């Protein structure tokens, strides 16, 4: 069982401390950098934008990107299954013809 350690990340000039396992530290800091960049992009030059609104829009954008990746992964999985089924049929025909 891995132990958690505190990790500090900065998002929109605010510091947050999160407990995370040592093996997940790099992934968490990369996620924090991604979120910070997305929030800064959404906020743009409007520094008066409400942080909660910026956070929700960033979360929505990231969730949409994740859903698109999941959909693409599912499409690729179906294509792979079809290709494997086709190859199995070809092998069966080749074995039967031999």
């Amino acid at each position: 069982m891995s132990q958690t350690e505190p990790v500090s990340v900065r998002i929109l000039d605010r510091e947050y401390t999160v407990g995370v396992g040592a093996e997940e530290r790099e992934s968490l800091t990369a996620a924090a950098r991604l979120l910070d960049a997305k929030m800064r992009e959404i906020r743009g030059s409007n520094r008066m934008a409400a942080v909660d609104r910026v956070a929700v829009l960033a979360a929505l954008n990231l969730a949409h990107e994740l859903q698109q990746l999941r959909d693409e992964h599912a499409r690729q999985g179906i294509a792979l299954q079809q290709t494997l089924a086709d190859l199995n049929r070809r092998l069966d025909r080749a074995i039967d013809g031999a």
Side-chain angles (χ1 to χ4, degrees):
M1 182 172 186
S2 66
Q3 293 188 350
T4 61
E5 57 184 55
V7 176
S8 293
V9 295
R10 290 192 68 78
I11 300 170
L12 272 190
D13 302 323
R14 293 183 183 182
E15 189 164 321
Y16 300 89
T17 302
V18 182
V20 66
E23 68 281 357
E24 295 176 348
R25 181 184 188 106
E26 286 183 41
S27 180
L28 175 75
T29 56
R33 285 191 303 272
L34 175 64
L35 179 58
D36 181 63
K38 185 65 75 174
M39 289 179 70
R40 287 178 187 282
E41 175 187 319
I42 290 169
R43 183 182 67 177
S45 61
N46 183 3
R47 300 195 54 85
M48 298 304 292
V51 174
D52 60 337
R53 178 173 168 76
V54 171
V56 168
L57 290 174
L60 181 58
N61 282 327
L62 291 170
H64 182 244
E65 290 175 19
L66 174 61
Q67 188 59 49
Q68 288 177 317
L69 289 171
R70 285 179 173 171
D71 292 346
E72 179 59 26
H73 184 260
R75 281 190 294 274
Q76 288 177 352
I78 291 169
L80 178 60
Q81 287 176 348
Q82 291 171 342
T83 300
L84 288 173
D86 182 49
L87 288 172
N88 280 328
R89 282 191 297 276
R90 288 181 183 188
L91 282 172
D92 288 343
R93 283 195 302 260
I95 290 170
D96 290 342

